[in-house]
């Protein structure tokens, strides 16, 4: 999609406080005789200050409360809660409910149901304002739901499996609603400030990785001290902060429409559904979306089988609770490295080229799991603890480099005005891929006879997973071979798919739906002002 010709909405104008680019660095004086130690100290200081200058640049171009929202949702709700949730629930199902790994793998698929429903949450945030606000009320609702669900499973005695699963799905539902709400803001800003699209995704990835680092580092300790069930009470805290964010984040309130509000909501809903359906039919949109789904679904998950093997004394390495958390924490730190690598060296590489290379590395790095399960690392003289740390680092760096460009690509495919709905649809497709991966992996673990105590065929399941990852390379042609600054969708295509659309939610808080006038594909509607 080419550069937009319409003026920015009032909401975006408030978000963008300063469009001035950062000042150019001063040219070095050739007569400068600064000593090498001074230069070294200056360079070190520059490197240390660079992240702060980057955050300052983002804050000067975007509203500070928007940046705060990214920190709260991606850093705490997804990063910390997601990582803490992963470790603690693994031990909850294993030690409290005492389930088989294949069964847990199937149950974990249900965690993705709220993420699959992201288009519904996106529609709600786009066309169903509450008290004149589109985003704020949904942050509050997400926080309340997440906190209540976490407290229920943590404090209510011995819960039946169905009740415990329902509460844990409620926790993930709170995360999903908060995610789609902040993603709507990110997608809108990515469309209108294209030069910051990669920076915003890098910030999201950085916050998520730092939060995950903290969550993984502390999860094993809390499981050891409090037990798997009581440790879940800590999952109530980040959702509570998400609810507070709903009262803090800046948003322009819609002007009341009186009796026409109900009619307008129905019309807006029809516009959003119609625009979403027509957009997904564009080959420039559905092809990369199909690749994203298949690349996730074909990489079947073996996580639960490997987790049970990690903690088993024979034939596994019998890792302790604290060490498991530490392994994942090191992986989260490696994920931050992956974000830095993408931001500094890879973001300008064409999407197809980058994803092909990342997918190839993803398949090859998976062979480290086979080496570990077969204990070849001991034959090579590498201790279990050192090998698993190295394997986790490699895997997380490659996964982050593979995942980030897909998210950036998704933000670039969203039509203006239904950013929340359409980006949620793309993320729903990704969640369907993850759900397929979990359930497919659970079936493979069951068919290969992997149980709580039997791991003889675990290596074969992991080898099958790596073969499927390698086969995904044949689908990379679905991704456009264009870079971040290139036009991904021809100018006017997204205008055609949202033909007849108008501004969603007239009033100060309205957002633009790009439409067409008179059937001329080269002409766009102007921003409708109330």
């Amino acid at each position: 999609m080419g550069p937009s010709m319409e003026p920015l909405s009032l909401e975006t104008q408030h978000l963008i406080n300063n469009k001035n680019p950062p000042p150019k660095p001063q040219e070095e004086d050739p007569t400068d005789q600064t000593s090498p130690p001074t230069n070294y100290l200056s360079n070190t200081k520059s490197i240390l200050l660079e992240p702060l200058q980057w955050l300052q640049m983002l804050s000067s171009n975007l509203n500070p409360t928007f940046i705060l929202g990214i920190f709260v949702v991606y850093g705490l709700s997804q990063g910390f809660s997601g990582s803490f949730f992963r470790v603690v629930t693994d031990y909850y199902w294993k030690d409290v409910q005492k389930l088989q790994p294949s069964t847990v793998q199937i149950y974990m698929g249900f965690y993705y149901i709220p993420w699959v429903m992201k288009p519904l949450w996106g529609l709600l945030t786009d066309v169903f304002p509450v008290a004149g606000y589109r985003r704020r009320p949904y942050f509050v609702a997400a926080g309340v739901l997440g906190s209540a669900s976490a407290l229920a499973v943590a404090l209510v005695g011995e819960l039946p499996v169905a009740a415990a699963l329902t509460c844990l799905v409620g926790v993930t539902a709170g995360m999903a609603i908060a995610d789609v709400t902040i993603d709507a803001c990110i997608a809108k800003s990515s469309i209108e400030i294209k030069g910051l699209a990669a920076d915003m995704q890098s910030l999201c990835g950085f916050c998520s990785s730092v939060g995950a680092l903290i969550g993984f580092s502390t999860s094993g300790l809390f499981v050891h001290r409090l037990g798997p069930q009581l440790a879940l009470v800590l999952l109530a805290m980040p959702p509570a902060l998400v609810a507070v964010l709903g009262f803090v984040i800046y948003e322009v309130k819609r002007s009341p429409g009186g009796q026409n509000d109900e009619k307008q909501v129905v019309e807006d809903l029809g516009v959003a559904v119609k625009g979403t359906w027509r957009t997904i039919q564009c080959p420039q949109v559905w092809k990369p979306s199909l690749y994203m789904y298949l690349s996730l679904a074909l990489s079947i998950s073996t996580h639960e089988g490997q987790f049970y093997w990690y903690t088993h004394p024979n034939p596994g390495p019998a890792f302790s609770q604290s060490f498991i958390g530490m392994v994942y924490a090191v992986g989260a730190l490696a994920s931050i490295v992956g974000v830095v690598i993408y931001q500094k060296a890879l973001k300008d590489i064409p999407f197809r080229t980058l994803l092909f290379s990342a997918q190839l590395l993803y398949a090859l790095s998976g062979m480290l799991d086979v080496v570990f399960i077969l204990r070849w690392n001991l034959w090579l003289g590498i201790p279990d603890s050192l090998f698993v740390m190295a394997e986790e680092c490699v895997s997380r760096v490659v996964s982050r480099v593979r995942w980030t460009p897909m998210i950036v690509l998704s933000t670039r495919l969203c039509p203006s005005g239904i950013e929340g709905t359409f980006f949620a649809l793309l993320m729903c497709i990704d969640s369907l891929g993850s759900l397929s991966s979990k359930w497919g992996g659970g079936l493979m673990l069951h068919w290969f006879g992997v149980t709580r105590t039997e791991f003889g065929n675990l290596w074969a399941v992991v080898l099958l997973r790596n073969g499927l990852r390698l086969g995904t390379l044949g689908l990379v042609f679905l991704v456009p071979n264009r870079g971040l600054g290139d036009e991904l969708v021809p100018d006017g295509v997204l205008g055609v798919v949202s033909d007849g659309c108008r501004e969603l939610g007239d009033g100060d808080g309205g957002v633009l739906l790009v439409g067409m006038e008179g059937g001329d594909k080269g002409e766009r509607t102007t921003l409708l002002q109330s």
Side-chain angles (χ1 to χ4, degrees), residues 33-195:
Q33 301 295 325
T34 306
S35 61
T38 303
N39 283 334
Y40 175 79
L41 292 175
S42 178
N43 292 336
T44 303
K45 181 179 179 181
S46 177
I47 292 173
L48 294 176
L49 291 178
E50 186 174 352
L52 297 178
Q53 293 170 347
W54 179 57
L55 286 175
Q56 184 179 15
M57 181 274 292
L58 289 176
S59 297
S60 66
N61 284 275
L62 301 164
N63 192 281
T65 61
F66 171 65
I67 303 298
L68 175 64
I70 291 178
F71 275 100
V72 171
V73 175
Y74 274 92
L76 296 177
S77 179
Q78 289 190 40
F80 175 81
S81 289
S83 59
F84 197 88
F85 181 90
R86 176 182 173 183
V87 175
V88 176
T89 56
D90 277 345
Y91 279 104
Y92 176 78
W93 292 122
K94 176 178 176 288
D95 296 338
V96 178
Q97 299 289 353
K98 301 186 183 302
L99 300 179
Q100 297 291 345
S102 57
T103 303
V104 176
Q105 190 88 21
I106 298 297
Y107 285 170
M108 288 179 66
F110 287 97
Y111 297 165
Y112 291 91
I113 297 296
W115 297 89
V116 172
M117 295 174 63
K118 284 182 71 172
L120 174 61
W121 315 137
L123 277 173
L124 291 175
T125 62
D126 277 341
V127 301
F128 286 96
V130 178
Y133 294 102
R134 280 196 190 85
R135 316 300 183 195
R136 284 182 161 190
Y138 295 99
F139 283 124
V140 176
V144 171
L145 176 61
S147 291
S149 299
L151 290 174
V153 72
L155 301 179
V156 176
E158 296 182 0
L159 283 176
V161 171
L165 180 61
T166 301
C167 290
L168 294 178
V169 170
V171 174
T172 63
M175 296 181 192
I177 296 172
D179 174 79
V180 76
T181 307
I182 196 67
D183 279 348
C185 303
I186 294 171
K188 183 176 180 61
S189 298
S190 296
I191 292 169
E192 297 181 329
I193 316 175
K194 295 181 177 62

Side-chain angles (χ1 to χ4, degrees), residues 278-298:
R278 291 188 175 182
T279 301
I280 200 64
Q281 290 179 301
C282 291
Q284 296 90 343
V285 176
W286 71 258
K287 286 184 178 181
S289 301
L290 178 62
Y291 171 79
M292 286 186 279
Y293 168 77
L294 293 175
S295 67
L296 292 169
L298 293 177

Side-chain angles (χ1 to χ4, degrees), residues 84 87-88 91 214-228 230-231 234 320-327 329:
F84 197 88
V87 175
V88 176
Y91 279 104
I214 298 172
F216 284 135
S217 299
T218 58
S219 57
L221 175 63
F222 281 107
V223 169
H224 179 71
R225 295 291 185 183
L226 303 178
L230 189 57
L234 295 178
S320 67
Q321 297 165 340
S322 299
F323 186 76
I324 289 286
M326 188 58 61
V327 169

Side-chain angles (χ1 to χ4, degrees), residues 331-371:
L333 188 61
S335 186
I336 298 175
V337 175
V339 173
V340 174
I341 291 174
Y342 173 79
Q343 177 67 21
K344 302 295 291 185
L346 303 177
K347 68 178 182 180
D348 294 323
I349 297 177
F351 289 108
R352 184 186 299 172
T353 302
L354 179 55
L355 288 175
F356 181 89
S357 302
Q359 186 67 31
L360 178 60
L361 290 175
Y362 191 52
L364 295 177
S365 64
M367 294 303 298
L368 294 174
D369 289 326
V370 178
V371 172

